[in-house]
Amino acid sequence: MTAAENVCYTLINVPMDSEPPSEITLKTDLEKGDVKSKTEALKKVIIMILNGEKLPGLLMTIIRFVLPLQDHTIKKLLLVFWEIVPKTTPDGKLLQEMILVCDAYRKDLQHPNEFIRGSTLRFLCKLKEAELLEPLMPAIRACLEHRHSYVRRNAVLAIYTIYRNFEHLIPDAPELIHDFLVNEKDASCKRNAFMMLIHADQDRALDYLSTCIDQVHTFGDILQLVIVELIYKVCHANPSERARFIRCIYNLLQSSSPAVKYEAAGTLVTLSSAPTAIKAAAQCYIDLIIKESDNNVKLIVLDRLIELKDHPSHERVLQDLVMDILRVLGTPDLEVRKKTLQLALDLVSSRNVEELVIVLKKEVIKTNNVTEHEDTDKYRQLLVRTLHSCSVRFPDMAANVIPVLMEFLSDSNEAAAADVLEFVREAVQRFDNLRTLIVEKMLEVFHAIKSVKIYRGALWILGEYCSTKDDIQSVMTEVRRSLGEVSEEEDEGFSSGVIMTEVPIVENEIKKESGELKPEEEVTVGPSQKLVTEMGTYATQSALSSSRPTKKEEERPPLRGFLLDGDFFVAASLATTLTKIALRYVALVPDKKKQNSFVAESMLLMATILHLGKSSLPKKPITDDDVDRISLCLKVLSECSPLMNEIFNKECRLSLSHMLSAKLEEEKLSQKKESEKRNVTVQADDHISFMQLTAKSEMASKEDQFQLSLLAAMGTTQRKEAADPLASKLNKVTQLTGFSDPVYAEAYVHVNQYDIVLDVLVVNQTSDTLQNCTLELATLGDLKLVEKPSPLTLAPHDFANIKANVKVASTENGIIFGNIVYDVSGAASDRNCVVLSDIHIDIMDYIQPAGCTDTEFRQMWAEFEWENKVTVNTNIIDLNEYLQHILKSTNMKCLTPEKALSGYCGFMAANLYARSIFGEDALANVSIEKPIHLGPDAPVTGHIRIRAKSQGMALSLGDKINLSQKKSTV
């Protein structure tokens, strides 16, 4: 047996810096040293044997001088020593000295100390020599009746492994263990005994379970878990047994152990698809999520609920449990809340939408009362989006949701307010009956909006949807209040149709700067408000302090504040709004005098803003684009042509309508694709499978969930291969050496989620025996070799497979390189070496398409610091075809809607997004054009800009695009 085939069950950490001691020194320490010296010497011997040293001279020394000692540490080390020491001669016969060792084992099995007995029994599980075990069988049987449970449970394990490996040594083991199980009281002993019966004699295990099936709920959790496994296996192999044991599984759902409840629920779902069973399992999962404190457990169990939902027949059952699922929102973890809201949204129906909306409204209000935290803002955003989706799918709910959400337009968190605004914009366009309510509510919160972006959006909505005379006048009042310029006399003058002279903003600000105009002299429309500092706290003023506040304490009206900060884009938005409402006012009010006064008021506000923009007061001067926009609006109001009226008051709304309908169409299409995936399609001529008539061999071919979960834990789950598995495997074979090399090698690269398994085929192409043939590997990038492959001996023209595991830490293009070194048997020359070709690990195995909103994309684009610009160099002549080719090559998802990409105009811009399995985001912007002047067959040109948080991700993705840009002609 080669060193590579020797099995050791104990992992020992070996210090690499220590000098290996000589055999004579060790012999002296083992013979004449005290207990401490003997312990240290024995440790060194064990490490040397693990490193491949042969120390046959020390075997008798250890038997004579160390074996009789009663020290517990020595006893424990001796068990490791006997496990790894060679016990046979080269021809396979047992060493004579082992008879003495066998006698020592027997004495230890009768030792009064239960620890020594138990440890020896555990060690016997690792022995593979039947000659050594045979004399010990009476002592092992006697240990089943020992007073201490530690000895009894290890005796059961020893009997099980001996029965499995050498059945002739204890042929009556199942009967013996069955009798032991009936009389045993200790939970761990019963669990081990029952586990043995499951694997050794399933019928006896079932007989025992049948006798105590009503007491199962009183057993310990470790035994209950084994019972669940047995029931699953039995029912999987023999479906007719389901009725016998399904009640037991129902009882185990009430177990006090979370692990038992989880396994019982999973088993119940696989055994029965009855609505009562699904409901009981789902209820059990929900209780587990709520009661368990570990967020990882919550996420795992939530995934099981999501799996249940994906089954078409189970979805209706889960819809009745939506309110229970929403109890999970009490968890503070954002990831758990996100999954819960998504699950609730997928399960919402006309029967439960009202209750769902009530709960979500309460949660939104709750987020306003808690102390501000980063996750609170994100959670509020999630709630707003969920309510938005509910309202779009169930329009009746919008009237309940909108008043609550519009309070958050004045929120300091711009992201949540932007989501609310997007929702309000969609609602006001879609639901005609809610327009009055939305406009009224918008006017209420308008003055409190703090963010300029939200302010712009609110202005647009008011300008677009104010259709009555009163609403239009209210908007004008709010605008003047927000500018903070109009005096009471002016307000009266406006309502009577006479325009009073206005003190321009510029003069007003200059006077304030010079101190001629005190802040209290400036009169603004509307009720007086409390002063708010920049920190968002209320400012208080002492009676003893100066009556005139400093510049920082002055509170400017919001719109004037934005303008003085140099944000004139809001001014362009205001100009458009004023133009729309002025044109609408002219159409509504027949009185010419009032028409003129309103239009003049609007034009005066625009002219004042232009004057302010050109002055030196704002932090940044007005841009030319904004000047053009405001000037255009002034021209439109001065002429009032029917064409402009049509564009401003009809075409704008039509554009929004088109955009929303395109978005809705896209959502419906994705939902349809999702439902098509979930629907089980059955052909008319498919065979009907009757469970009762199914052969046992066919039943066994179905997937065993316990086996699958074990494989998943070991990281050896096989991915679903392509239609032709042989072809897909051959695609992943990499040739490492040439056909004329003395050693030929090729590797099959199998990528699991976080590790790579290299299965290397090594062929000896010479007529010599190659000794110590070793595969030496090294890695570049975020790859780490887990263990060094063991050396092999290859006969002439022989071959062998070597497996190597590589761990992956991030999404980077990794390279594995190395060589094969070997000695030729009988040759006096140095070691021979064959250098291997590099293995490139494909980044695409770790990148998956993902989705995000436009706002999130822009935010990430601004935040990510690594950018890689790739020049388009391709033979593809069609823009759309090139985009599809890039999407297929990079596993990215196109965020730009299909409608925006349709049509042909000679150029194209699209945003792409993907996420790696390590949670890294990758963004790309494709800007391409078709050079028409070069003819119809000219290839596409342009650039692709990639942005990522890490340099490796940006570079790797760029390399992948460069390699796959050209379409292969084959």
Side-chain angles (χ1 to χ4, degrees):
M1 189 185 278
T2 64
E5 291 169 311
N6 275 325
V7 180
C8 176
Y9 299 91
T10 313
L11 292 175
I12 296 171
N13 179 35
V14 182
M16 301 304 290
D17 53 349
S18 57
E19 281 287 319
S22 67
E23 196 172 331
I24 300 161
T25 317
L26 289 171
K27 201 168 186 178
T28 310
D29 284 347
L30 291 169
E31 281 181 18
K32 299 175 181 172
D34 55 7
V35 172
K36 194 175 178 184
S37 304
K38 287 182 178 181
T39 305
E40 289 303 316
L42 193 55
K43 283 182 182 176
K44 287 172 185 171
V45 170
I46 289 167
I47 288 167
M48 286 172 77
I49 292 175
L50 284 173
N51 286 339
E53 296 282 340
K54 305 279 190 288
L55 302 169
L58 292 178
L59 187 62
M60 225 26 235
T61 309
I62 288 171
I63 292 171
R64 286 175 58 204
F65 296 102
V66 183
L67 198 56
L69 294 175
Q70 294 301 310
D71 182 74
H72 284 196
T73 310
I74 295 251
K75 290 260 183 208
K76 202 170 181 180
L77 286 170
L78 276 171
L79 292 177
V80 178
F81 174 75
W82 296 127
E83 183 188 331
I84 61 169
V85 78
K87 302 173 190 66
T88 54
T89 56
D91 58 356
K93 289 182 180 175
L94 197 69
L95 290 169
Q96 295 294 322
E97 293 92 335
M98 295 315 287
I99 298 166
L100 297 168
V101 177
C102 188
D103 188 54
Y105 293 154
R106 193 177 50 75
K107 285 177 182 170
D108 281 349
L109 287 174
Q110 293 165 346
H111 199 282
N113 184 294
E114 62 272 5
F115 169 73
I116 290 173
R117 276 204 195 197
S119 301
T120 309
L121 285 163
R122 285 176 75 88
F123 158 69
L124 293 180
C125 296
K126 303 168 189 176
L127 274 188
K128 294 285 180 281
E129 286 79 22
E131 300 98 308
L132 280 176
L133 291 166
E134 196 170 1
L136 304 174
M137 292 317 299
I140 294 171
R141 282 170 177 265
C143 286
L144 282 176
E145 294 165 13
H146 193 272
R147 60 183 172 76
H148 203 284
S149 62
Y150 178 69
V151 177
R152 294 199 303 276
R153 72 166 175 260
N154 283 310
V156 172
L157 285 178
I159 288 171
Y160 172 41
T161 44
I162 293 166
Y163 176 75
R164 194 176 56 190
N165 297 328
F166 314 105
E167 193 177 327
H168 64 278
L169 292 180
I170 184 164
D172 62 336
E175 191 182 337
L176 181 70
I177 295 300
H178 182 268
D179 296 340
F180 167 79
L181 183 58
V182 171
N183 301 315
E184 183 55 56
K185 296 287 182 285
D186 182 74
S188 59
C189 296
K190 285 172 86 169
R191 181 251 181 209
N192 285 4
F194 194 70
M195 179 67 91
M196 178 193 159
L197 285 181
I198 289 175
H199 296 285
D201 191 344
Q202 208 171 79
D203 292 337
R204 283 185 192 273
L206 286 173
D207 290 343
Y208 171 73
L209 183 57
S210 301
T211 58
C212 59
I213 200 155
D214 294 330
Q215 286 90 47
V216 165
H217 62 280
T218 62
F219 293 166
D221 56 348
I222 52 174
L223 184 54
Q224 286 179 340
L225 278 171
V226 183
I227 288 170
V228 170
E229 185 180 343
L230 171 69
I231 292 173
Y232 177 81
K233 285 187 171 176
V234 169
C235 296
H236 197 264
N238 187 5
S240 60
E241 295 280 359
R242 286 182 184 184
R244 185 176 163 197
F245 294 113
I246 206 153
R247 176 53 50 197
C248 179
I249 293 288
Y250 269 109
N251 291 339
L252 287 174
L253 290 178
Q254 311 305 320
S255 170
S256 56
S257 162
V260 174
K261 287 169 80 170
Y262 176 75
E263 291 296 345
T267 303
L268 185 59
V269 169
T270 57
L271 297 186
S272 172
S273 55
T276 48
I278 303 302
K279 189 171 184 178
Q283 195 69 60
C284 181
Y285 282 145
I286 294 164
D287 289 343
L288 278 174
I289 299 167
I290 292 163
K291 288 174 185 171
E292 277 301 306
S293 55
D294 190 337
N295 286 330
N296 293 320
V297 174
K298 289 177 188 284
L299 289 168
I300 289 165
V301 182
L302 262 173
D303 284 339
R304 295 304 293 265
L305 269 178
I306 292 164
E307 278 174 35
L308 272 185
K309 180 262 302 178
D310 289 341
H311 198 288
S313 61
H314 299 165
E315 191 171 2
R316 189 165 177 83
V317 179
L318 285 174
Q319 283 176 356
D320 297 333
L321 296 172
V322 166
M323 298 315 292
D324 291 321
I325 291 169
L326 287 176
R327 287 161 59 203
V328 180
L329 293 176
T331 308
D333 184 67
L334 187 70
E335 195 60 37
V336 174
R337 285 171 158 178
K338 191 175 183 178
K339 275 196 173 182
T340 307
L341 285 171
Q342 188 55 55
L343 177 61
L345 192 57
D346 290 343
L347 293 171
V348 73
S349 66
S350 53
R351 291 179 296 141
N352 55 28
V353 66
E354 203 167 329
E355 293 170 322
L356 176 74
V357 166
I358 290 167
V359 173
L360 295 181
K361 274 164 66 180
K362 282 180 184 171
E363 284 293 317
V364 169
I365 294 161
K366 223 186 279 178
T367 60
N368 210 23
N369 301 333
V370 296
T371 49
E372 281 299 317
H373 186 264
E374 186 188 354
D375 281 355
T376 310
D377 291 343
K378 288 179 181 172
Y379 179 45
R380 192 181 300 154
Q381 245 180 300
L382 285 174
L383 289 168
V384 168
R385 285 180 190 173
T386 311
L387 283 167
H388 181 173
S389 303
C390 284
S391 301
V392 170
R393 280 165 62 181
F394 303 96
D396 297 347
M397 291 296 110
N400 298 332
V401 174
I402 287 166
V404 177
L405 289 187
M406 285 184 75
E407 296 291 339
F408 290 96
L409 284 173
S410 57
D411 199 80
S412 53
N413 174 25
E414 190 180 288
D419 278 337
V420 173
L421 192 73
E422 192 181 321
F423 170 39
V424 169
R425 186 186 67 184
E426 191 168 341
V428 78
Q429 171 63 23
R430 284 226 173 110
F431 313 130
D432 294 350
N433 56 325
L434 295 178
R435 280 182 189 169
T436 314
L437 170 72
I438 292 172
V439 168
E440 187 186 315
K441 196 72 187 165
M442 185 69 84
L443 287 166
E444 275 178 37
V445 296
F446 187 73
H447 68 277
I449 295 173
K450 299 180 182 73
S451 161
V452 65
K453 187 179 170 186
I454 308 304
Y455 199 90
R456 281 203 313 265
L459 270 175
W460 189 90
I461 289 170
L462 286 173
E464 191 62 54
Y465 295 100
C466 283
S467 51
T468 66
K469 179 187 166 187
D470 292 340
D471 284 345
I472 291 169
Q473 287 188 346
S474 301
V475 172
M476 183 57 99
T477 306
E478 285 296 338
V479 167
R480 285 179 294 132
R481 174 184 178 181
S482 192
L483 272 170
E485 280 307 315
V486 184
S487 66
E488 287 170 5
E489 291 83 3
E490 289 172 68
D491 196 32
E492 287 164 15
F494 162 68
S495 57
S496 62
V498 183
I499 299 173
M500 311 297 289
T501 52
E502 182 179 320
V503 182
I505 300 175
V506 180
E507 288 176 26
N508 184 288
E509 285 295 325
I510 291 168
K511 282 182 182 178
K512 245 196 261 183
E513 291 284 331
S514 61
E516 291 175 37
L517 179 71
K518 293 182 181 179
E520 56 267 26
E521 288 174 23
E522 185 192 358
V523 185
T524 59
V525 173
S528 60
Q529 293 179 14
K530 291 180 184 177
L531 289 174
V532 180
T533 65
E534 288 177 357
M535 302 297 289
T537 55
Y538 288 108
T540 53
Q541 193 173 343
S542 166
L544 301 171
S545 64
S546 166
S547 60
R548 184 182 174 190
T550 60
K551 272 186 201 174
K552 279 194 179 180
E553 286 172 350
E554 284 178 32
E555 189 192 349
R556 289 195 181 104
L559 186 53
R560 187 191 291 197
F562 298 145
L563 295 175
L564 288 170
D565 287 338
D567 195 333
F568 281 95
F569 188 32
V570 73
S573 181
L574 174 66
T576 309
T577 299
L578 289 173
T579 307
K580 284 179 184 175
I581 60 172
L583 290 171
R584 214 170 287 137
Y585 190 84
V586 169
L588 285 170
V589 180
D591 189 342
K592 279 279 179 190
K593 207 173 186 183
K594 285 185 178 179
Q595 284 180 12
N596 291 338
S597 79
F598 193 96
V599 171
E601 176 81 5
S602 304
M603 293 172 78
L604 180 60
L605 288 174
M606 291 185 223
T608 309
I609 290 167
L610 275 176
H611 185 197
L612 175 67
K614 299 282 185 185
S615 72
S616 59
L617 286 171
K619 290 177 183 173
K620 287 181 279 185
I622 190 167
T623 62
D624 291 343
D625 286 346
D626 295 331
V627 170
D628 289 350
R629 184 70 173 170
I630 297 169
S631 305
L632 170 72
C633 290
L634 282 167
K635 188 171 172 60
V636 168
L637 283 181
S638 63
E639 292 175 359
C640 287
S641 71
L643 175 65
M644 285 298 156
N645 197 347
E646 177 82 13
I647 291 169
F648 272 81
N649 277 332
K650 288 185 183 172
E651 295 293 331
C652 289
R653 196 175 299 187
L654 206 59
S655 298
L656 175 66
S657 180
H658 287 325
M659 190 191 83
L660 292 177
S661 57
K663 189 178 165 189
L664 193 67
E665 204 175 304
E666 204 172 307
E667 281 174 15
K668 279 181 180 171
L669 201 67
S670 64
Q671 280 175 8
K672 191 180 174 186
K673 280 181 186 171
E674 197 65 38
S675 62
E676 279 173 6
K677 272 186 203 170
R678 283 161 53 190
N679 285 342
V680 183
T681 49
V682 181
Q683 297 300 326
D685 56 349
D686 279 357
H687 292 293
I688 299 172
S689 175
F690 293 98
M691 197 66 80
Q692 289 80 359
L693 304 176
T694 310
K696 279 194 175 184
S697 58
E698 288 176 46
M699 281 302 302
S701 69
K702 288 190 177 180
E703 291 177 319
D704 184 333
Q705 295 299 319
F706 279 92
Q707 195 62 28
L708 283 177
S709 59
L710 179 65
L711 288 171
M714 291 161 65
T716 53
T717 44
Q718 295 292 319
R719 283 187 180 179
K720 286 183 181 172
E721 299 288 358
D724 182 0
L726 207 65
S728 63
K729 278 198 169 190
L730 287 172
N731 288 339
K732 294 181 179 180
V733 172
T734 309
Q735 188 179 332
L736 301 178
T737 64
F739 291 114
S740 58
D741 283 317
V743 176
Y744 172 74
E746 64 181 27
Y748 166 62
V749 184
H750 179 72
V751 179
N752 287 320
Q753 201 167 13
Y754 297 108
D755 63 335
I756 298 163
V757 179
L758 294 180
D759 191 350
V760 184
L761 171 71
V762 181
V763 183
N764 178 6
Q765 300 198 109
T766 66
S767 302
D768 301 312
T769 301
L770 305 184
Q771 293 180 328
N772 295 325
C773 183
T774 311
L775 175 68
E776 295 180 346
L777 296 173
T779 57
L780 200 66
D782 262 355
L783 302 173
K784 186 182 176 187
L785 196 66
V786 177
E787 57 190 344
K788 191 178 171 185
S790 304
L792 298 170
T793 299
L794 287 175
H797 302 290
D798 193 8
F799 64 89
N801 280 65
I802 303 173
K803 287 198 176 179
N805 284 316
V806 179
K807 284 285 173 196
V808 188
S810 75
T811 318
E812 276 189 37
N813 275 345
I815 299 171
I816 302 171
F817 56 93
N819 48 44
I820 292 175
V821 291
Y822 59 90
D823 297 324
V824 178
S825 182
S829 62
D830 290 338
R831 298 200 81 184
N832 298 285
C833 178
V834 178
V835 179
L836 306 177
S837 300
D838 297 347
I839 301 171
H840 290 264
I841 303 303
D842 193 357
I843 186 180
M844 288 305 105
D845 289 315
Y846 306 107
I847 287 184
Q848 298 161 342
C852 69
T853 64
D854 290 347
T855 314
E856 287 166 345
F857 185 91
R858 280 196 292 271
Q859 192 178 345
M860 285 190 279
W861 189 266
E863 284 173 5
F864 291 172
E865 51 197 29
W866 292 103
E867 179 170 305
N868 186 7
K869 191 173 181 182
V870 178
T871 305
V872 173
N873 178 19
T874 183
N875 53 1
I876 299 171
I877 58 173
D878 183 68
L879 296 174
N880 236 318
E881 190 186 342
Y882 179 76
L883 178 65
Q884 294 307 319
H885 179 68
I886 289 294
L887 291 175
K888 190 178 174 185
S889 310
T890 59
N891 275 3
M892 297 187 91
K893 181 183 176 182
C894 182
L895 297 180
T896 310
E898 194 68 39
K899 289 266 184 187
L901 298 172
S902 59
Y904 186 81
C905 58
F907 65 89
M908 180 188 281
N911 291 336
L912 316 182
Y913 177 66
R915 187 182 284 122
S916 76
I917 58 170
F918 308 102
E920 300 166 307
D921 299 296
L923 314 175
N925 173 258
V926 179
S927 299
I928 48 177
E929 65 174 329
K930 171 90 174 159
I932 299 163
H933 61 282
L934 297 176
D937 293 333
V940 170
T941 60
H943 291 93
I944 300 171
R945 290 165 70 201
I946 302 155
R947 285 203 182 180
K949 211 170 212 172
S950 63
Q951 184 185 18
M953 181 82 158
L955 293 174
S956 304
L957 208 52
D959 293 345
K960 181 66 187 174
I961 290 172
N962 268 327
L963 287 169
S964 58
Q965 276 198 72
K966 291 192 177 178
K967 193 178 180 183
S968 57
T969 50
V970 181

